[in-house]
Amino acid sequence: MRDAHVIIAGGGVGGLSLALSLHQAGIRVRVYEAVRNPLPLGVGINLQPTAVRELTELGFGSALAETGIATQRLKLCNKFGQLIHDEPRGVAAGYRWPQISIHRGELQLLLLRAARERIGDRNVRTGMRLRGFEQRGGRVRARFSDEDSGSDLFEEADILVGADGIHSAVRRQVYPDEGAPRFAHQILWRAAIEAEPFLDGQTMVIAGHFDQRIVVYPIGRTAGGKLLTNWICQMTVPDQAPFPEHWNRRVGKEEVLLAFERWRFPWLDLPTLIERSQDIYEFPLVDRDPVPAWSFGCVTLLGDAAHPMQPIGSQAGSQAILDARTLTRALAETDDPVAALERYDAERRPVMNDVILRNRNLGPEAAMQLAEERAPNGFARVEDVIAQHELDIIAKSFATAAGLDVETVNQRPPYLSP
């Protein structure tokens, strides 16, 4: 496969990680991204140690440390801010690599700049949207359209990878009857704002329960000792899912404040963060059902195109990076492209299908729901509500199933030999 040519539809975190990994393995690659001029938009993303390991092996360890925050602890609280569970993260938990919280847009631009430098500008084509593909004679021919002129471009390759997100054109062609993403009847409001550090300035907090919860964590340093702080407010709504063109839209702060005006804790004043936020984005909580195959001949799926999941346990971005490294290893170690894609599918898809379903049940955040059901008015001691062994089982079972436990991450051999 060293002489193979791979084309990637999608220049997000997963697609760019794949392009850089393929280049590292000596495999020719070209990326097509629908956005003409990618900008550092969006809010925070958490990179688990297993993903930071892979990005470090791609040469980004120092850049991640400089740009993001090495998260040291995770605290799960009830809606009154009372502590349910507290655990170390990253190096503090015994991993050889940190957990990094970082601005998603900054991460994407970091990868994009590196891709242009390493594989060349001509191999990173922006403003080009995939319209379809056909397979013939063991090859794939893809059609892209220029977003500005509307003109078509055709490219033939040995492999096409759909890394084009939850509305993937590649997935839509191989699963034409799948329909819209599955809406969980919850809305997320998100923003990032410069703020004074809360707690130790290196902690991620999740508070609330299934129907209403918040996630708050720092994602970067700013002037004057302040931190760029990512906040998410999530709650159940009776409405239908908004149309895709209304996803990631800016909304006013009034509705968010009305729902979360009482969420003031001794260590965090959420209403003040909301009030001071300039740009608040609204997203529906969506995923898709697991599918029986990702790979079809010389075409495969990666990241959100393969396993769109609810944002529980800081999974999606990290798992897309692992997809990229697993696929690259399969291609580097297998002579036949179809066999390589089948190997990748067999290794990654069963694990990710399980994670999709676990995330629907709140994953490691299930402890918060137990506290709400057993002590809706709060508690004097969490031990009177949830036994420690219950908390340990919830946390450890999810980490092991997702391949995020310390032993797996630290002892796994590298995906690519130096």
Side-chain angles (χ1 to χ4, degrees):
M1 290 301 300
R2 298 289 180 176
D3 295 326
H5 176 40
V6 180
I7 52 179
I8 303 171
V13 171
L16 292 171
S17 296
L18 176 61
L20 291 162
S21 296
L22 292 172
H23 176 265
Q24 186 182 54
I27 298 172
R28 290 188 298 136
V29 59
R30 180 168 289 166
V31 180
Y32 288 90
E33 163 58 38
V35 177
R36 175 68 67 193
N37 297 303
L39 298 173
L41 302 176
V43 281
I45 181 174
N46 258 276
L47 296 175
Q48 298 292 341
T50 185
V52 174
R53 172 183 178 174
E54 300 311 318
L55 292 179
T56 299
E57 291 177 4
L58 280 168
F60 296 104
S62 296
L64 292 175
E66 293 170 3
T67 308
I69 296 288
T71 301
Q72 301 295 312
R73 305 204 69 81
L74 168 67
K75 293 182 182 291
L76 303 180
C77 303
N78 66 6
K79 62 193 176 189
F80 304 109
Q82 296 175 307
L83 182 65
I84 299 169
H85 180 62
D86 180 8
E87 65 181 49
R89 305 295 281 185
V91 175
Y95 292 95
R96 292 172 54 195
W97 297 268
Q99 174 177 321
I100 297 290
S101 301
I102 190 169
H103 191 285
R104 179 184 291 271
E106 295 292 346
L107 174 62
Q108 183 172 353
L109 287 191
L110 177 69
L111 299 177
L112 179 60
R113 285 193 295 268
R116 285 172 166 159
E117 291 171 1
R118 298 179 192 182
I119 71 176
D121 274 337
R122 67 184 184 87
N123 290 316
V124 181
R125 305 287 301 273
T126 60
M128 304 295 294
R129 184 177 298 277
L130 180 72
R131 296 302 183 186
F133 63 88
E134 59 180 3
Q135 299 190 63
R136 187 179 302 168
R139 303 268 288 173
V140 59
R141 186 171 187 257
R143 179 172 70 92
F144 297 90
S145 67
D146 187 297
E147 289 291 274
D148 294 333
S149 68
S151 61
D152 285 342
L153 178 148
F154 293 87
E155 178 157 3
E156 189 171 301
D158 298 288
I159 293 168
L160 167 65
V161 180
D164 46 346
I166 193 169
H167 300 297
S168 167
V170 179
R171 179 164 173 146
R172 187 164 57 248
Q173 184 164 329
V174 296
Y175 289 104
D177 299 323
E178 184 176 33
R182 176 184 175 275
F183 180 44
H185 293 284
Q186 291 200 330
I187 288 292
L188 290 79
W189 294 297
R190 305 188 64 169
I193 181 174
E194 292 186 16
E196 295 293 335
F198 69 93
L199 296 174
D200 62 357
Q202 298 173 301
T203 293
M204 178 181 193
V205 172
I206 308 175
H209 51 87
F210 178 79
D211 288 319
Q212 189 172 18
R213 60 190 184 273
I214 64 171
V215 184
V216 187
Y217 55 93
I219 58 175
R221 300 167 187 83
T222 63
K226 292 186 176 182
L227 298 177
L228 184 62
T229 301
N230 181 87
W231 62 260
I232 303 168
C233 291
Q234 179 174 337
M235 65 182 301
T236 298
V237 295
D239 309 316
Q240 296 299 309
F243 292 109
E245 56 267 26
H246 293 149
W247 293 18
N248 196 25
R249 69 187 183 98
R250 287 185 175 89
V251 296
K253 60 190 70 172
E254 294 77 14
E255 185 176 2
V256 190
L257 281 170
L258 182 63
F260 289 88
E261 62 184 351
R262 297 183 179 180
W263 290 62
R264 284 189 170 92
F265 312 135
W267 40 268
L268 180 70
D269 186 343
L270 181 67
T272 295
L273 287 183
I274 296 171
E275 181 64 43
R276 291 181 49 235
S277 298
Q278 296 299 312
D279 297 314
I280 300 176
Y281 298 90
E282 182 179 271
F283 303 80
L285 183 65
V286 294
D287 64 6
R288 289 188 184 274
D289 289 330
V291 291
W294 293 353
S295 298
F296 301 81
C298 49
V299 175
T300 196
L301 303 170
L302 181 145
D304 281 348
H307 47 75
M309 62 183 70
Q310 295 184 14
I312 303 294
S314 304
Q315 286 290 298
S318 295
Q319 296 293 358
I321 293 167
L322 294 188
D323 290 348
R325 301 295 275 175
T326 306
L327 177 52
T328 300
R329 181 180 61 187
L331 292 171
E333 296 179 353
T334 310
D335 291 333
D336 177 56
V338 173
L341 298 193
E342 289 175 348
R343 172 180 164 179
Y344 157 70
D345 190 313
E347 182 173 346
R348 289 294 293 163
R349 182 176 48 79
V351 176
M352 289 298 93
N353 283 355
D354 180 53
V355 171
I356 290 171
L357 299 179
R358 285 175 180 267
N359 279 11
R360 291 179 180 178
N361 293 317
L362 281 181
E365 297 166 31
M368 294 156 49
Q369 184 60 23
L370 281 181
E372 173 68 13
E373 293 171 357
R374 297 175 183 178
N377 297 315
F379 49 77
R381 299 191 323 144
V382 69
E383 297 86 352
D384 297 333
V385 179
I386 307 176
Q388 185 60 47
H389 76 272
E390 290 183 280
L391 295 172
D392 292 340
I393 289 172
I394 291 170
K396 291 178 181 178
S397 64
F398 181 85
T400 301
L404 302 177
D405 58 287
V406 174
E407 183 177 354
T408 297
V409 175
N410 285 352
Q411 296 184 8
R412 175 180 52 75
Y415 281 111
L416 297 177
S417 301

